[in-house]
């Protein structure tokens, strides 16, 4: 009998994952990852991880499977939280959920499971694993979940073949309503539990407040750049010419104070991200202001009016060599090669066609349609049909 350790978060998805594996005849062990208990930066009076841990334990008792909690808070702080603060302080927008999967669930947790002589680990992600044998070698595929509304393959975009070979995703073939239905039939305490919002495994934490504990407020100017600024005209001319280079097409805009007028002040450029609309608290403009650039060096936020402001759109992006990751290394592009894939630059965004060009210094990604709010530090993820092929950190 194969042994599988299920990462039980205290939510309905991982509860049902454990039940389904048990039904399929696996020997199932439940494990709860405690990733955060630094009381000096607790935001709310609630203690969400305790509640989650108890829910996970009750489900394990209900299913009659062994259960244990593992404290990964030290690793979580080093690998996720410190990285996040560092990225935000540089004016980038990291994705803690992608990192949590790469660094915690499919690394430290996986190793802990292997110490329990497990054959596999399983999570409650809405995605699927496929495999095929090519030239005598098994290739593992990361496939989108069947439920389009819940597909979470994006968050697993940094997994390796080795990690995939040990991973099971029992609910990937189901929709969220079906998962809740199964939980109700089994009388699991988590059947009606709301989906967790907030940082991966930190529980009910709001990001701006979390950041304020490390990154001190620092007042600065908010500048509004008009939509008819000459910057956009020059850029349009540069990218329209047949001679324009990949780097010209993928470059963002560089602003200076004289490009617009001061319309207010903010509490710290590092709290904000490109495309953001809420949180500026500046009214009085015909259309709402959107953030088009944050300059953390000079502590300035550049904004534009309306969601069709040209400063919100980019024709492409660049990924440095060290930040390119192929879930399918056998499909990696060599220098000088290019290929068109379906791409998304954030979770839940509809897939869009884009062409990847591999050059000596990295990967240039050119969109077939200009894309909105391309944020440095986020992950660009590319698919071939329903298979996730690779990903990279936007530069």
């Amino acid at each position: 009998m194969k042994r599988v350790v299920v990462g039980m978060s205290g939510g309905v998805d991982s509860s049902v994952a454990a039940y389904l594996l048990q039904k399929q005849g696996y020997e199932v062990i439940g494990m709860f990852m405690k990733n955060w208990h630094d009381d000096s930066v607790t935001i709310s009076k609630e203690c969400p991880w305790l509640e989650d841990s108890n829910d996970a334990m009750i489900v394990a008792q209900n299913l009659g499977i062994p259960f244990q909690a593992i404290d990964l808070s030290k690793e979580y702080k080093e690998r996720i939280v410190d990285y996040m603060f560092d990225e935000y302080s540089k004016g980038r927008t990291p994705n803690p959920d992608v990192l949590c999967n790469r660094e915690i669930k499919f690394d430290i947790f996986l190793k802990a499971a292997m110490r329990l002589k497990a054959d596999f680990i399983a999570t409650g992600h809405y995605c699927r694993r496929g495999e095929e044998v090519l030239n005598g070698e098994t290739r593992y595929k990361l496939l989108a979940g069947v439920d389009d509304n819940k597909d979470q393959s994006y968050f697993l975009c940094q997994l390796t073949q080795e990690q995939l070979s040990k991973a099971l995703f029992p609910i990937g073939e189901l929709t969220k309503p079906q998962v809740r239905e199964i939980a109700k039939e089994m009388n699991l305490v988590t059947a009606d539990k709301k989906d967790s919002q907030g940082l991966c495994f930190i529980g009910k934490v709001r990001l701006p407040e979390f950041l304020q504990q490390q990154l001190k407020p620092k007042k600065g100017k908010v500048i509004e750049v008009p939509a008819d600024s000459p910057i956009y005209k020059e850029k349009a001319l540069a990218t329209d010419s047949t001679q324009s280079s990949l780097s010209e097409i993928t470059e963002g805009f560089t602003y200076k104070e004289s490009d617009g007028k001061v319309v207010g002040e903010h509490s710290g450029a590092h709290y904000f991200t490109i495309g953001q609309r809420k949180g500026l608290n500046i009214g009085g403009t015909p259309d709402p202001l959107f953030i088009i650039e944050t300059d953390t060096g000079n502590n300035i936020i550049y904004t534009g009016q309306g969601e069709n402001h040209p400063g919100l759109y980019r024709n492409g992006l660049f990924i440095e060599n060290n930040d390119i990751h192929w879930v399918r290394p056998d499909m990696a592009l060599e220098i000088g090669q290019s290929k068109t894939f379906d791409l998304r630059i954030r979770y839940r965004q509809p897939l869009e066609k884009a062409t990847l060009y591999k050059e000596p210094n990295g990967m240039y990604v050119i969109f077939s349609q200009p894309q909105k709010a391309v944020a440095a530090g986020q992950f660009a993820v590319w698919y071939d049909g329903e298979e996730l092929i690779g990903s990279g950190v936007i530069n």
Side-chain angles (χ1 to χ4, degrees):
M1 190 190 269
K2 297 272 191 198
R3 177 178 291 177
V4 57
V5 175
V6 183
M8 295 181 74
S9 64
V12 66
D13 299 330
S14 56
S15 304
V16 170
Y19 162 69
L20 292 172
L21 289 165
Q22 191 185 34
K23 217 172 81 164
Q24 289 163 22
Y26 288 95
E27 179 197 346
V28 180
I29 298 171
M31 196 184 268
F32 177 83
M33 289 170 256
K34 179 179 172 187
N35 285 349
W36 191 249
H37 59 75
D38 180 347
D39 296 330
S40 66
V41 298
T42 314
I43 309 300
S44 56
K45 295 286 174 275
E46 308 168 48
C47 188
W49 72 261
L50 256 179
E51 182 191 314
D52 290 339
S53 168
N54 285 337
D55 286 347
M57 187 168 68
I58 294 165
V59 169
Q61 282 170 345
N62 192 332
L63 297 175
I65 59 174
F67 175 80
Q68 64 184 80
I70 178 173
D71 189 340
L72 301 179
S73 46
K74 178 175 166 286
E75 293 87 343
Y76 192 88
K77 183 182 179 304
E78 286 165 6
R79 295 198 190 189
I80 311 296
V81 179
D82 292 350
Y83 172 84
M84 280 173 61
F85 285 135
D86 185 52
E87 286 282 273
Y88 274 105
S89 68
K90 292 175 185 158
R92 290 161 62 92
T93 311
N95 190 312
D97 293 306
V98 172
L99 290 166
C100 182
N101 285 316
R102 182 181 81 189
E103 301 285 335
I104 305 292
K105 289 184 207 164
F106 289 86
D107 184 15
I108 298 169
F109 173 67
L110 175 58
K111 286 170 183 156
M114 293 303 140
R115 286 197 289 277
L116 295 174
K117 305 276 186 284
D119 298 286
F120 299 103
I121 61 167
T123 62
H125 281 104
Y126 286 85
C127 63
R128 294 167 297 148
R129 183 186 83 161
E131 49 185 87
E132 64 177 344
V133 177
L134 290 171
N135 310 328
E137 255 185 82
T138 305
R139 302 258 191 263
Y140 294 95
K141 302 176 171 194
L142 177 58
L143 305 169
V146 169
D147 186 339
D148 282 345
N149 287 318
K150 290 297 293 180
D151 167 39
Q152 289 172 314
S153 55
Y154 178 91
F155 294 127
L156 301 171
C157 67
Q158 289 275 296
L159 295 194
T160 63
Q161 285 288 305
E162 174 64 19
Q163 290 166 326
L164 269 179
S165 73
K166 303 266 190 279
L168 298 176
F169 306 112
I171 63 168
E173 302 283 349
L174 302 173
T175 64
K176 186 76 184 202
Q178 288 173 317
V179 167
R180 288 210 184 273
E181 202 47 51
I182 293 170
K184 282 203 182 83
E185 282 166 25
M186 291 302 299
N187 292 321
L188 300 180
V189 296
T190 52
D192 292 314
K193 192 169 172 180
K194 278 215 207 43
D195 289 352
S196 66
Q197 297 297 326
L199 298 181
C200 162
F201 279 113
I202 292 188
K204 306 172 176 67
V205 175
R206 295 215 359 256
L207 197 58
E209 295 160 351
F210 187 69
L211 291 174
Q212 270 159 10
Q213 304 182 331
Q214 293 278 335
L215 307 173
K216 292 293 164 252
K218 192 164 72 170
K219 289 213 182 310
K221 297 173 187 167
V222 177
I223 289 177
E224 185 193 331
V225 180
D228 58 4
S229 164
I231 296 179
Y232 305 123
K233 302 240 182 0
E234 287 159 22
K235 182 79 175 163
L237 290 171
T239 52
D240 270 355
S241 85
T242 47
Q243 295 306 305
S244 57
S245 66
L246 290 169
S247 61
E248 277 177 320
I249 299 173
T250 54
E251 235 167 18
F253 299 103
T254 310
Y255 299 99
K256 50 192 188 304
E257 280 191 58
S258 55
D259 291 330
K261 62 177 196 292
V262 178
V263 289
E265 66 172 17
H266 60 79
S267 55
H270 44 260
Y271 298 144
F272 295 90
T273 181
I274 291 176
Q276 186 175 336
R277 175 184 155 183
K278 295 189 171 65
L280 276 173
N281 301 326
I282 297 170
T285 53
D287 287 313
L289 289 176
F290 286 83
I291 293 171
I292 56 176
E293 187 62 76
T294 60
D295 175 353
T296 50
N298 297 306
N299 198 30
I300 296 172
I301 285 177
Y302 292 96
T303 61
Q305 262 189 63
E307 54 186 319
N308 291 320
H309 189 282
L312 282 171
Y313 289 86
R314 294 263 301 271
N315 292 310
L317 57 88
F318 177 66
I319 301 167
E320 291 184 341
N321 279 324
N322 292 342
D323 291 330
I324 302 169
H325 173 74
W326 295 93
V327 175
R328 286 286 301 273
D330 57 310
M331 292 177 72
L333 298 181
E334 302 295 329
I335 290 173
Q337 286 185 326
S338 64
K339 190 170 183 201
T340 301
F341 288 99
D342 292 317
L343 182 103
R344 60 170 54 106
I345 52 171
R346 64 179 91 59
Y347 175 54
R348 302 300 294 252
Q349 184 208 20
L351 289 167
E352 300 275 354
K353 291 264 178 259
T355 306
L356 276 54
Y357 295 86
K358 181 68 186 76
E359 295 296 316
N361 59 334
M363 181 97 75
Y364 291 93
V365 177
I366 310 289
F367 310 131
S368 57
Q369 300 286 325
Q371 290 298 304
K372 199 167 168 181
V374 178
Q378 286 280 345
F379 288 86
V381 175
W382 48 94
Y383 293 78
D384 180 5
E386 55 181 10
E387 183 181 1
L388 195 158
I389 304 298
S391 64
V393 183
I394 299 170
N395 187 37

